Amino acid sequence: MPAIPNDYSERVYAGVLGKLIGVYLGRPFEGWTYERIMEELGPINFYVNERHDVALRSHHLVVTDDDVSGTFAFPRALADHGFPKRLTSEQVGNTWLNYLVEDRSILWWGGIGNSTEHTAYLRLKSGVPAPRSGSSELNGKTVAEQIGAQIFIDGWAMVSPGNPDQAVWLAEQAARVSHDGEAVHAAKLLAAMEAQAFVERDVQKLLDVGLGFVPRDALIRRVVEDVREWHAGDNGHDWERTRALIAQRYGYDKFPGNCHVIPNHALVILATLYGEGSFQEAMRIANTAGWDTDCNAGNVGCLFGIRTGLAGLDAGPDFRAPIADRMYISSADGGGSITDAVIEAQSLIGSGYTLAEAPPPAPAKNGARFNFNFPGSLQGFCSKAGSPAELHQVEIRNVPGHSRTGERSLAIGYRRLAPGRVARVATPTFFDKDVFTMPIYQLLACPTLYSGQTVECRLEADGSSGTVAVRLYASVYDERDELKQIYGETREIVPGGQAVLTWRVPDTGGYPVFGIGLQIEARDPLGVDGTIYLDYLTWHGAPEMVLKRPDNNLSTMWKHAWVNNVSQFQTRWEGLRITSGESTGFIAQGTRDWKDYRATSEIVPLLADQWGLAARLQGCERYYALMFDRTDGGRVRLIKKIHDETILATDRFAWQFDQKYEVALQVDGDKIEAYVAGKKLFAVRDTGELLLSGGGVGLIVDTGSISTQAVHVTAPISAS
């Protein structure tokens, strides 16, 4: 097992950023030809999402995209399956079934025989396990050899630093869930290159390593050899000539399907060779060359991020500040959807150490969600705009020092901050209404912060700063889906002073929290200049709240805070009514930060084969639940579902349609308790190999409908 490189963590972060930058650069003109790009946009040197001189798909920069969601969701298979020595394709397929919400999350849902991934999902759903779900034998060569397997390999490489054998195994198992043939060869080659890039910078040597995992008769091998030959023929000086040769021999017109892997793999190799040691040049080539630009640039960006590190990313135009680390991973585990490059890098880094059987580094700043410990990291924080008469603009920078337990902090600088005006910086904990105008890919997400949780941050004031008042604040949606601010207590910080702020988020009345941040106000009547350093910001504790319809259907953002995995989610009558036809569905809220809590709801089964209340829900196929069904005249079961279902306890219970049942489920460590009408039915301990340690709450129904007014979430009742 290769040793973990000393700079592993920073290179993973750079790889994650490289992937994001590449995807965000290429997304607005995905599918365009080189000729069209040159005619309408010219060489791609920076983000073009706000260009007004061409009809682009969207003005959004940070977008929901399968290239991002799949790349970072699917490697969760490692932790979800207990980090097996040899993760299997079937286990990755089960991970698909857990995180995918059909027609809504992660994938392009283009239909069977049209979208390779949708086709594979339908196979998995029907009971066909991976790798057969992605086989050419079942789906045909055209469907099996599209680009998707190549798109999703980066995570498998980043958990395998200097270990291409492991990266290739993982990438192949994952690729065969949906793909076969040349698509798998391409995925293996790139995974090997990215894994080896942690310890080797030479592109030619990386290609040799990648080709070592590709059969000699594979077309992918011939593609790589041709592009290398063309590159050598012009001494690496004329990428446009080589691109034209690729189009002539391997163009889109030579291969069937929507987005075949061969043409795009050729462009990935093109950008890799001609980019040499420059991240910026590789991005320019990968995006200007055309075809599947976001996919190709995403893979190239990750490879070059790993190769060149943060210094390479920062050697040209500032690609990092506009995105501020932000990313979306739309999935059935909605609490992990609003995330950032630091959080996802930390997850991959932890997996890499576990697979290497090496002790991982201690969590940065005791595991604070926003720790700013990577150079340049912003984790979504930005200056909040508003009325010039009220809000004062600030400058935000990641700087060394000013941290009690870490290495870096977020510097919030302000000049001439006058009395009566305030400066605000914040980061999203949910999405805004603008997200509904993003094309193609839907965003399923829950807020990451809830009423009853305690927010904490640590601050330092620059020695030359004037005295300022600071307080935590949150932006919360209201009945008009507008944002209003709620505040914690005010503290004064003198020049050179320090403070730890804590604030228990109050009851928001069922409305979701959109963002969390810091407000700064001058105390000097002449105004102040200065800098406040944010060491970290985090939160903890069980939520204390009521999830309900907060008004008479005046607002909608509260409804979007639920992950919707049912055929109908209606709020007109009882408050929450869900319907699932001929299968099990759910709505859910919460995050894996929710460890120990009690969920209670008065549920009416209107018509259903089975129904219930879930806790520690982590997707479609990972949760505890108290379930009621019609077996033997009525039955209640306490179950644990991790793909397969385990019955922890069961008893007869003659429930009836149209009757209201007060159901409660409490999770506290490994102890699970279930109640109906205040009576304890079950109290068990989960002694299984895989404990579900955290997750949200859910309402579940199978082939029918249930309704409720609300779901109450509180801390566990210890005397129960």
Side-chain angles (χ1 to χ4, degrees), residues 17 49 101 115 158 161 240 249-250 298 302 311 435 441 447 482 512 542 573 587 598 608 614 635 653 664 672 705:
L17 284 173
N49 57 293
V101 175
S115 161
M158 286 188 281
E240 287 98 335
R249 183 171 295 180
Y250 299 113
C302 184
V435 83
Y441 298 101
E482 300 296 332
W573 298 280
I587 60 171
R598 184 185 186 98
R635 180 178 63 160
F653 191 94
I672 302 101
S705 300

Side-chain angles (χ1 to χ4, degrees), residues 295-614:
C295 301
N296 298 338
N299 285 134
V300 173
C302 184
L303 173 62
F304 273 70
I306 296 168
R307 281 184 64 226
T308 66
L310 293 178
L313 269 63
D314 294 337
D318 185 5
F319 289 122
R320 295 178 61 185
I323 65 175
D325 296 316
R326 292 172 296 156
M327 59 193 294
Y328 301 129
I329 302 178
S330 178
S331 87
D333 187 10
S337 297
I338 308 299
T339 184
D340 62 59
V342 172
I343 292 171
E344 298 309 314
Q346 288 173 162
S347 177
L348 292 170
I349 292 161
S351 294
Y353 275 97
T354 300
L355 290 173
E357 299 180 352
K365 302 182 183 179
N366 299 314
R369 182 179 180 91
F370 303 107
N371 57 65
F372 318 111
N373 228 33
F374 285 120
S377 61
L378 301 177
Q379 295 196 258
F381 275 83
C382 64
S383 176
K384 305 309 293 182
S387 165
E390 177 189 6
L391 291 183
H392 188 85
Q393 291 297 306
V394 300
E395 179 187 11
I396 300 177
R397 295 177 297 119
N398 182 289
V399 297
H402 305 284
S403 174
R404 187 168 55 194
T405 60
E407 299 175 0
R408 308 183 69 85
S409 59
L410 193 69
I412 306 165
Y414 43 88
R415 288 181 55 79
R416 300 178 181 178
L417 177 58
R421 302 183 72 203
V422 298
R424 293 188 189 133
V425 297
T427 189
T429 56
F430 191 41
F431 58 75
D432 61 24
K433 293 177 289 185
D434 203 31
V435 83
F436 301 120
T437 65
M438 287 195 304
I440 304 177
Y441 298 101
Q442 186 175 345
L443 176 56
L444 295 184
C446 302
T448 54
L449 176 63
Y450 287 87
S451 298
Q453 294 186 296
T454 299
V455 182
E456 178 182 305
C457 73
R458 180 180 177 275
L459 307 172
E460 288 187 10
D462 187 86
S464 60
S465 301
T467 299
V468 293
V470 295
R471 55 178 172 172
L472 288 162
Y473 83 95
S475 294
V476 181
Y477 283 106
D478 64 13
E479 68 276 4
R480 297 180 301 279
D481 286 332
E482 300 296 332
L483 292 172
K484 65 177 183 180
Q485 282 69 51
I486 57 176
Y487 299 92
E489 292 184 1
T490 299
R491 290 275 300 275
E492 285 194 354
I493 300 184
V494 299
Q498 304 178 21
V500 174
L501 308 184
T502 60
W503 177 44
R504 189 171 184 268
V505 180
D507 182 7
T508 64
Y511 293 104
V513 178
F514 165 74
I516 185 70
L518 184 72
Q519 178 169 296
I520 305 168
E521 187 174 358
R523 280 293 189 247
D524 191 318
L526 300 178
V528 294
D529 296 344
T531 303
I532 293 290
Y533 299 96
L534 178 58
D535 183 359
Y536 65 83
L537 188 147
T538 194
W539 52 81
H540 56 83
E544 294 272 350
M545 63 183 181
V546 181
L547 298 170
K548 62 181 181 178
R549 185 186 71 192
D551 52 53
N552 192 21
N553 285 311
L554 299 173
S555 61
T556 62
M557 292 305 293
W558 70 271
K559 184 178 179 181
H560 292 293
W562 291 90
V563 167
N564 181 357
N565 186 29
V566 291
S567 53
Q568 293 288 329
F569 178 15
Q570 298 173 331
T571 63
R572 179 179 175 184
W573 298 280
E574 301 87 353
L576 307 173
R577 181 192 288 187
I578 61 173
T579 301
S580 184
E582 300 181 357
S583 63
T584 300
F586 67 86
I587 60 171
Q589 276 204 63
T591 76
R592 294 199 188 194
D593 294 336
W594 294 16
K595 304 295 185 184
D596 302 327
Y597 60 88
R598 184 185 186 98
T600 306
S601 185
E602 293 184 336
I603 302 173
V604 178
L606 302 170
L607 176 65
D609 287 350
Q610 60 175 335
W611 58 276
L613 179 67

Side-chain angles (χ1 to χ4, degrees), residues 2 31 68 76 89 94 119 159 235 260 293 295 300 320 363 414 504 513 571 598-599 683 686:
V68 173
R76 296 174 185 172
S89 189
N94 291 342
T119 302
V159 301
N235 295 314
H260 201 278
T293 46
C295 301
V300 173
R320 295 178 61 185
Y414 43 88
R504 189 171 184 268
V513 178
T571 63
R598 184 185 186 98
D686 182 4

